[in-house]
């Protein structure tokens, strides 16, 4: 820290210049590059679902699942000449795209199952050739453009859902920035009571955002990165950059008030607040790196974005911001009304009269009672998490205004036998085994929940396809049981694919890797806090409090999203479940951010203890010294990440609300009651 502070104090313009270049490159190059990110990546490449898809693709030259579903509503009966002509035009338009390998309609192989119960609508299915996720997105865009202006056709299917999701996320990003940045600036102005100081955290946040965009865009040129990582990147960039800037800025203002705008003031800031930022960035990066052990590209990308953001936010706070402070010196307090400055100084000086000092002293008078009641309250709030239900990213993720969602809803309600999401079985057997394959298909047809069986159909030299049509929705428990039951049948060499199989395999894959992710996150948290504090018990206490925070957060998420509460204020359509990846994402974020605030608080308590204060006094002084800053940091972070509560994508909405809940629990209940009460009970064992 001493060497780093020396470079920043001697060559600030060089550092600021490099930061400006990175900002410009991130804006001019990084922004456009992120438009190439993928909307796929939810499956384990080693899963049976993927193997089944590959077997059928090799045999047929087309993807087994429908890529585009065109719902035709001509306003006349489908059986009429005009209705049939509308269906034929739709099929011909789909077939014109070069990436479409197969088109099936009610009059071209699909039969009456593709016509609605009232006979007024029908759907045409297009399967792509084996192409990349990016190519599929491009094809979906072209097909939507080809049907633009045709009011009698609505488009859905996996490719259209993916493209619409990517498009909506881009709109959400711009909207979230427009909402969050002005609010963040006004809150910073209220916190720092000065225009110059208030601008710096927001500028650091913008720098980290565009540096992350540039990094993700360049990485995507080599490996596929999920577009969903952009939302996490923006929210986390703003949150961490502003948190770290608050810590550095507030400490620097304290130091220059005592020492003037000298090298010693900058050095002292780096050795105290800078050290806290370093440990925080390491723990947040490590917690989110736990996501990178999952084989799903979606989670890997989230982890990658989190690691990049934590590292870049740390660099911005430890390198760029101190260089700016070295240039500004006492001008950091410029453009601040004197009454505001006096009020801020008075608040910092009167430690024993401060709110957080008095609160912690009150808590430490009855530590056992308060710790027990607080822990019990968090456990009670966490209880709904035991009945958590899951779904996956599908049409229900989209808002009802999106055609992909509308088509899925119509197929579920108006078509007596929805063939758009069958349980697909790929059987490897020669044509001479037709009798055995037919008997196998008949056995599948007798399983509970199977409404009908289509096939077997010989689709390659040694490959058969069987479609089991479920009586329920693709992600119903009964439909998922069909997948498991088919795999349990003794018979030919068969692999199961389809939407339901994809979900079952995703669930199993996540469960297999979850213990390792938890072990990594917990171990890194314990080691980092031990290295920072020298304490054995405090890191273990932090992990316990992180678990309580995560449990309470998931409990509230179940009460809100799974049970369908706050649908008006949050503007979403409940589907009785959370996304399957939410506990993992929220777990990594909750652990990282909880440890982040623990670092801020414990570093100041340790500093007070090392100065000779008693355990109780050090806790009270540390809480008071960090009270305003941690409160402000948590509030700003909740705004930055909570802005995604306005997202039209339910997965992103859940992530934004859940992270904001976790941060606010840490900054209020954990910090105000559990930290002082437990540290009082532990005494010198701390």
């Amino acid at each position: 820290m001493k060497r780093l502070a020396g470079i920043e104090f001697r060559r600030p313009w060089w550092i600021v210049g490099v930061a400006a270049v990175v900002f410009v490159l991130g804006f001019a190059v990084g922004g456009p590059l992120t438009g190439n990110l993928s909307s796929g990546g939810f499956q384990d490449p080693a899963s049976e679902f993927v193997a089944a898809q590959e077997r059928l693709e090799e045999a047929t030259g087309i993807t087994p699942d429908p890529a585009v579903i065109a719902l035709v509503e001509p306003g006349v009966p489908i059986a009429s000449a005009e209705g049939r002509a509308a269906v034929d035009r739709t099929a011909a338009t789909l077939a014109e795209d070069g990436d479409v390998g197969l088109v099936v309609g009610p009059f071209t192989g699909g039969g009456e199952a593709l016509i609605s119960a009232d006979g007024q609508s029908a759907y045409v299915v297009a399967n792509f050739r084996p192409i990349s996720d990016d190519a599929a997105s491009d094809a979906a865009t072209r097909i939507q453009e080809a049907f633009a202006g045709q009011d009698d056709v609505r488009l859905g299917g996996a490719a259209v859902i993916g493209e619409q999701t990517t498009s909506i996320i881009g709109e959400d990003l711009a909207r979230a920035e427009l909402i969050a940045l002005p609010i963040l600036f006004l809150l910073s102005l209220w916190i720092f009571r000065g225009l110059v100081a208030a601008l710096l955290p927001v500028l650091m946040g913008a720098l980290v955002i565009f540096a992350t965009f540039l990094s993700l865009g360049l990485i995507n040129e080599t490996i596929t990165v999920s577009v969903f990582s952009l939302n996490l990147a923006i929210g986390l960039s703003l949150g961490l950059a502003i948190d770290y800037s608050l810590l550095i800025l507030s400490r620097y203002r304290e130091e220059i008030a005592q020492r003037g705008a000298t090298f010693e003031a900058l050095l002292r800031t780096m050795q105290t607040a800078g050290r806290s930022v370093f440990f925080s960035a390491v723990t947040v990066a490590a917690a989110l790196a736990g996501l990178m052990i999952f084989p799903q590209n979606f989670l890997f990308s989230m982890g990658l974005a989190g690691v990049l953001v934590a590292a870049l936010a740390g660099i911005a706070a430890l390198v760029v911001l101190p260089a700016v402070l070295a240039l500004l010196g006492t001008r950091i307090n410029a453009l601040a009304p004197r009454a505001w400055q006096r009020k801020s100084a008075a608040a910092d000086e009167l430690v024993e009269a401060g709110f957080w000092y008095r609160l912690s002293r009150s808590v430490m008078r009855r530590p056992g009672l308060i710790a027990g009641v607080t822990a019990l309250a968090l456990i009670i709030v966490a209880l709904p998490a035991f009945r958590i239900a899951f779904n996956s990213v599908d049409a229900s993720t989209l808002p009802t205004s999106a055609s992909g969602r509308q088509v899925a809803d119509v197929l579920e309600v108006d078509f007596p036998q929805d063939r758009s999401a069958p349980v697909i079985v790929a059987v490897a057997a020669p044509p001479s085994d037709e009798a055995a394959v037919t008997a196998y298909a008949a056995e599948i047809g007798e399983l509970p929940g199977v409404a009908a069986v289509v096939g077997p159909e010989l689709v390659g030299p040694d490959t058969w396809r069987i479609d089991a049509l479920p009586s329920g929705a693709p992600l119903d428990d009964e439909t998922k049981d069909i997948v498991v039951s088919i795999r349990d049948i003794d018979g030919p060499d068969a692999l199961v694919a389809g939407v339901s199989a994809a979900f079952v395999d995703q669930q199993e894959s996540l469960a297999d890797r979850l213990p390792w992710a938890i072990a990594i996150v917990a171990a890194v948290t314990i080691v980092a806090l031990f290295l920072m504090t020298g304490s054995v018990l405090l890191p273990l206490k932090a992990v316990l409090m992180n678990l309580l925070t995560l449990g309470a957060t998931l409990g509230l998420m179940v009460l809100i999203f799974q049970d369908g509460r706050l649908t008006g204020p949050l503007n979403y359509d409940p589907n009785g479940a959370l996304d399957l990846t939410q506990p993992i994402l929220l777990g990594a974020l909750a652990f990282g951010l909880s440890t982040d605030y623990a670092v801020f608080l414990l570093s100041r308590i340790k500093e007070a203890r090392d100065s000779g204060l008693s355990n109780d006094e050090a806790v009270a002084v540390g809480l008071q010294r960090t009270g305003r800053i941690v409160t402000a940091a948590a509030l700003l972070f909740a705004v930055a990440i909570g802005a995604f509560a306005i997202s039209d994508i339910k997965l992103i909405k859940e992530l934004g609300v859940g992270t904001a809940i976790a941060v606010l629990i840490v900054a209020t209940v954990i910090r105000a009651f559990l930290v002082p009460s437990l540290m009082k009970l532990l005494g010198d064992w701390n």
Side-chain angles (χ1 to χ4, degrees):
M1 288 298 172
K2 185 174 183 178
R3 287 193 295 272
L4 186 57
I7 295 170
E8 293 160 351
F9 197 77
R10 290 193 305 272
R11 295 184 176 87
W13 282 112
W14 284 92
I15 295 172
V16 172
V18 171
V21 170
V22 171
F23 182 88
V24 172
L25 286 174
F27 182 81
V29 179
L33 282 177
T34 57
N36 299 326
L37 269 56
S38 169
S39 62
F42 289 90
Q43 295 306 319
D44 182 348
S47 66
E48 180 177 327
F49 162 80
V50 172
Q53 277 198 315
E54 291 173 350
R55 176 181 287 182
L56 289 170
E57 286 174 2
E58 289 175 6
T60 64
I62 60 171
T63 56
D65 286 311
V68 178
I69 298 173
L71 179 65
V72 186
E73 300 166 303
V76 296
I78 294 296
S80 67
E82 186 180 347
R84 181 163 186 152
V87 171
D88 290 342
R89 282 196 306 272
T90 301
T93 303
L94 289 170
E96 287 173 359
D97 192 274
D99 286 326
V100 172
L102 175 69
V103 176
V104 176
F107 310 117
T108 52
E112 293 184 358
L114 274 60
I115 299 176
S116 64
D118 62 4
Q120 296 296 306
S121 60
Y123 66 91
V124 181
V125 175
N127 292 57
F128 285 163
R129 306 181 195 281
I131 54 177
S132 67
D133 288 338
D134 290 342
S137 180
D138 292 340
T141 301
R142 291 193 304 269
I143 291 171
Q144 288 180 93
E145 290 172 352
F147 283 98
Q150 295 190 34
D151 295 334
D152 60 342
V153 177
R154 287 186 283 179
L155 297 178
V160 172
I161 291 169
E163 191 282 328
Q164 290 179 347
T165 299
T166 302
S167 177
I168 291 172
I169 284 176
E171 296 170 2
D172 287 344
L173 294 177
R175 189 169 44 172
E177 287 178 6
L178 287 174
I179 292 173
L181 285 174
I183 296 174
L184 292 172
F185 169 70
L186 291 174
L187 287 172
S188 294
L189 185 61
W190 169 69
I191 293 158
F192 286 112
R193 301 184 175 97
L195 185 61
V196 173
L199 277 172
L200 288 179
V202 178
L203 289 176
M204 291 300 111
L207 172 62
V208 176
I209 286 174
F210 288 113
T212 304
F213 277 12
L214 180 62
S215 302
L216 289 174
L218 292 174
I219 291 172
N220 188 59
E221 297 298 306
T222 305
I223 62 174
T224 303
V225 179
S226 171
V227 69
F228 289 96
S229 64
L230 291 181
N231 295 79
L232 180 68
I234 285 188
L236 203 59
S237 292
L238 284 174
L240 287 183
I242 290 174
D243 276 8
Y244 295 165
S245 298
L246 283 171
L247 200 63
I248 297 290
L249 272 170
S250 60
R251 188 57 185 250
Y252 184 69
R253 293 175 90 185
E254 283 184 33
E255 296 299 333
I256 62 173
Q258 298 177 15
R259 297 175 171 84
T262 60
F263 172 71
E264 286 71 23
L266 187 65
L267 174 61
R268 183 62 180 160
T269 299
M270 295 295 288
Q271 290 176 331
T272 53
R275 184 170 179 268
S276 298
V277 167
F278 173 79
F279 277 105
S280 174
V282 168
T283 53
V284 172
L288 289 163
L291 297 174
M292 298 177 71
I293 73 165
F294 291 97
Q296 289 81 4
N297 184 256
F298 165 73
L299 287 174
F300 178 88
S301 299
M302 288 290 202
L304 174 64
V307 171
L308 287 172
V309 168
L312 291 170
I315 291 170
L318 293 175
V319 179
V320 181
L321 182 58
V324 174
L325 295 178
L327 288 172
L328 289 174
T330 56
R331 291 190 296 274
I332 189 66
N333 294 319
L335 302 180
R338 290 189 177 182
W340 284 16
Q341 292 186 47
R342 286 195 298 270
K343 187 175 181 181
S344 178
D348 290 336
E349 289 171 4
L350 298 175
V351 173
E352 294 184 5
F355 168 78
W356 290 101
Y357 181 93
R358 288 182 281 110
L359 177 62
S360 61
R361 279 296 190 181
S362 298
V363 168
M364 287 189 286
R365 281 196 286 270
R366 297 179 182 83
L369 175 64
I370 291 177
V373 170
T374 304
L376 180 61
L378 289 171
I379 291 170
I380 290 172
V381 174
L383 289 178
F386 286 100
R387 55 179 178 82
I388 193 169
F390 297 113
N391 61 10
S392 189
V393 175
D394 57 9
S396 66
T397 303
L398 293 170
T400 53
S401 59
S403 67
R405 170 69 179 275
Q406 294 168 2
V407 169
D409 290 345
V410 170
L411 293 185
E412 185 177 347
V413 174
D414 293 349
F415 288 77
Q417 192 181 87
D418 182 5
R419 296 194 175 190
S420 63
V423 176
I424 303 169
V425 185
V427 181
S432 58
D433 286 351
E434 180 177 0
V437 176
T438 301
Y440 176 66
E443 192 172 354
I444 291 174
E446 294 174 0
L447 294 174
V450 176
V453 171
V454 178
E457 177 188 1
L458 187 65
V459 295
D462 294 300
T463 305
W464 300 78
R465 172 170 172 160
I466 302 168
D467 284 3
L469 305 180
S471 56
L475 298 185
D476 285 353
D477 288 340
E478 188 177 46
T479 307
K480 290 182 286 187
D481 289 341
I482 293 173
V483 174
V484 177
S485 298
I486 292 174
R487 289 173 174 171
D488 288 340
I489 296 175
D490 291 329
D493 178 10
L495 299 172
V496 184
V499 175
S500 309
F503 182 85
V504 170
D505 289 348
Q506 183 188 25
Q507 199 167 21
E508 291 179 356
S509 175
L510 294 178
D512 288 343
R513 300 294 181 96
L514 184 58
W516 291 102
I518 292 172
I520 290 171
V521 172
V524 170
T525 300
I526 290 169
V527 171
L529 287 178
F530 170 73
L531 291 175
M532 190 195 80
T533 63
S535 170
V536 175
L537 289 182
L538 289 182
L540 298 175
K541 177 176 71 70
V543 169
L544 176 62
M545 290 191 294
N546 290 355
L547 290 173
L548 287 172
T549 300
L550 175 59
T553 301
L554 290 176
L556 289 172
M557 292 291 286
V558 168
L559 290 173
I560 295 171
F561 288 102
Q562 185 171 311
D563 294 350
R565 293 182 172 87
L566 302 179
T567 54
L570 291 176
N571 189 29
Y572 74 97
D573 184 22
N575 56 8
L578 298 179
D579 184 81
L580 181 59
T581 59
Q582 281 300 322
I584 295 172
L585 286 171
L586 288 175
L589 283 166
F591 254 81
L593 298 174
S594 297
T595 308
D596 178 36
Y597 292 114
V599 166
F600 291 175
L601 179 56
L602 291 176
S603 62
R604 205 62 188 258
I605 293 174
K606 185 177 188 300
E607 186 181 335
R609 186 75 174 92
D610 290 345
S611 70
L613 296 181
S614 66
N615 176 78
D616 294 4
E617 186 67 10
V619 171
V621 169
L623 275 167
Q624 178 58 33
R625 286 296 189 191
T626 57
R628 189 162 60 92
I629 297 305
V630 171
T631 301
L635 183 60
L636 291 167
F637 199 108
V639 170
I641 199 80
F644 291 108
I646 65 170
S647 174
D648 287 327
I649 303 297
K650 188 165 175 281
L651 167 65
I652 301 301
K653 189 188 296 288
E654 289 175 359
L655 187 61
V657 173
T659 307
I661 288 173
V663 167
L664 293 176
I665 289 174
V666 170
T668 54
V669 178
I670 299 294
R671 176 177 54 139
F673 301 107
L674 270 185
V675 168
S677 60
L678 291 177
M679 293 194 79
K680 169 65 175 179
L681 290 171
L682 290 172
D684 289 339
W685 284 97
N686 288 310

